[in-house]
Amino acid sequence: MFALCSCGRVSLGLRWAPIQGWRIWIRWSLIIGLLVGFAITIGAGLILATAREIPIITLSPRQLPGRILTVCVSAPLQEETLYRVIVCVPVVASFGKWPAVAVSRVLFGALHFLHGNPSPENLVGGWFIAWAYLKSETVVIPLLLHNVGNLLVLLGQLATWYFLITVR
């Protein structure tokens, strides 16, 4: 496991490949995606059950390139560096693996909540991404999970835009 005192590149999860290999992480990514999708469904159901309106966010094709750069490249790189490398490593060294996952998850969810994205998938996704970082011993896995998750959100917003345009 990570050792903060060694301060090496590998101890921070700065390696290219997960220690288990890529095949297992492809499988885990699909499972994680299904569980996060389930959290989104539960969240939407709770919002509908409380008679609140679900905000519909759309994205036009002209907005897509800029949003991909910020949402799928810049934000995940900054967030994974912060929540995994800067937060997880010292917490693991001081308190252990599961407290690091909990702290990272709560911070991840809280920041998304503060920036106007208070959806349950951020807590669920933050938990899985923190776990994946510690399990794979590389920041590449959480970065890819975050990138793909955000890309799927953007594609959903783009599909919603097309649907609303064609329905009108």
Side-chain angles (χ1 to χ4, degrees), residues 84 88 91-92 96-107 126-132 134:
R84 306 324 152 206
C88 278
V91 176
V92 166
K97 178 176 136 181
W98 291 112
V101 169
V103 168
S104 177
R105 166 195 176 193
V106 168
L107 289 174
W127 184 87
F128 279 118
I129 292 173
W131 171 82
L134 296 175

Side-chain angles (χ1 to χ4, degrees), residues 67-155:
R67 295 293 292 163
I68 285 177
L69 185 60
T70 58
V71 174
C72 297
V73 178
S74 179
L77 187 58
Q78 291 171 18
E79 291 176 14
E80 295 313 316
T81 300
L82 173 64
Y83 300 121
R84 306 324 152 206
V85 179
I86 295 172
V87 171
C88 278
V89 173
V91 176
V92 166
S94 300
F95 304 103
K97 178 176 136 181
W98 291 112
V101 169
V103 168
S104 177
R105 166 195 176 193
V106 168
L107 289 174
F108 185 82
L111 187 68
H112 283 82
F113 182 84
L114 290 173
H115 284 121
N117 191 2
S119 52
E121 76 267 12
N122 289 320
L123 283 176
V124 174
W127 184 87
F128 279 118
I129 292 173
W131 171 82
Y133 173 63
L134 296 175
K135 186 76 174 167
S136 68
E137 296 189 17
T138 178
V139 75
V140 173
I141 294 296
L143 189 59
L144 290 173
L145 289 171
H146 202 155
N147 291 347
V148 170
N150 286 0
L151 179 62
L152 291 174
V153 168
L154 289 180
L155 293 175

Side-chain angles (χ1 to χ4, degrees), residues 20-44:
Q20 303 87 352
W22 288 103
R23 182 174 291 159
I24 193 166
W25 283 101
I26 292 170
R27 200 171 319 136
W28 271 111
S29 296
L30 294 172
I31 293 167
I32 290 168
L34 289 172
L35 291 170
V36 171
F38 181 71
I40 292 168
T41 304
I42 294 296

